[in-house]
């Protein structure tokens, strides 16, 4: 869900953006479109699009779990920014 980035620290904003970038990287690595990932994870296309955008987008752990499952990776993979 979109959140007010003004209420977050710089580090929190960066963390949320990095999750989106990681999802996008893993999705492309798997050769999936945003629509295909949305379908496989049972999420709306707009959820994947918002998450992968450069805006700050909050995501629940359940959503991360669904995305990771759809990508065939451990959910922690989406939080590993190294």
């Amino acid at each position: 869900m979109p959140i007010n980035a003004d209420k977050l620290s710089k580090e929190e904003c960066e963390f949320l953006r990095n999750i989106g970038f990681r999802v996008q990287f893993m999705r492309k690595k798997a050769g999936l479109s945003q629509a295909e990932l949305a379908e496989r994870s049972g999420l709306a296309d707009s959820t994947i699009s918002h998450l992968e955008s450069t805006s700050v987008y909050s995501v629940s752990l359940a959503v991360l779990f669904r995305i990771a499952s759809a990508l065939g990776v451990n959910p922690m993979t989406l939080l590993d920014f190294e």
Side-chain angles (χ1 to χ4, degrees):
M1 76 179 64
I3 57 175
N4 185 347
D6 294 337
K7 295 185 178 186
L8 299 174
S9 71
K10 181 180 177 181
E11 292 81 12
E12 290 169 323
C13 289
E14 185 176 324
F15 176 75
L16 292 171
R17 282 190 193 102
N18 282 339
I19 290 173
F21 295 147
R22 188 73 176 154
V23 168
Q24 182 181 52
F25 173 79
M26 297 302 294
R27 174 183 62 77
K28 288 181 176 181
K29 185 176 175 183
L32 299 173
S33 68
Q34 287 182 345
E36 290 169 325
L37 178 56
E39 184 177 328
R40 286 185 181 195
S41 61
L43 301 168
D45 293 5
S46 61
T47 299
I48 303 300
S49 176
H50 286 303
L51 180 60
E52 290 185 2
S53 74
T54 58
S55 63
V56 176
Y57 190 79
S58 176
V59 62
S60 72
L61 293 175
V63 166
L64 282 181
F65 184 86
R66 284 180 169 199
I67 290 170
S69 294
L71 292 170
V73 299
N74 183 306
M76 290 302 296
T77 303
L78 300 178
L79 301 173
D80 182 8
F81 307 134
E82 307 227 3

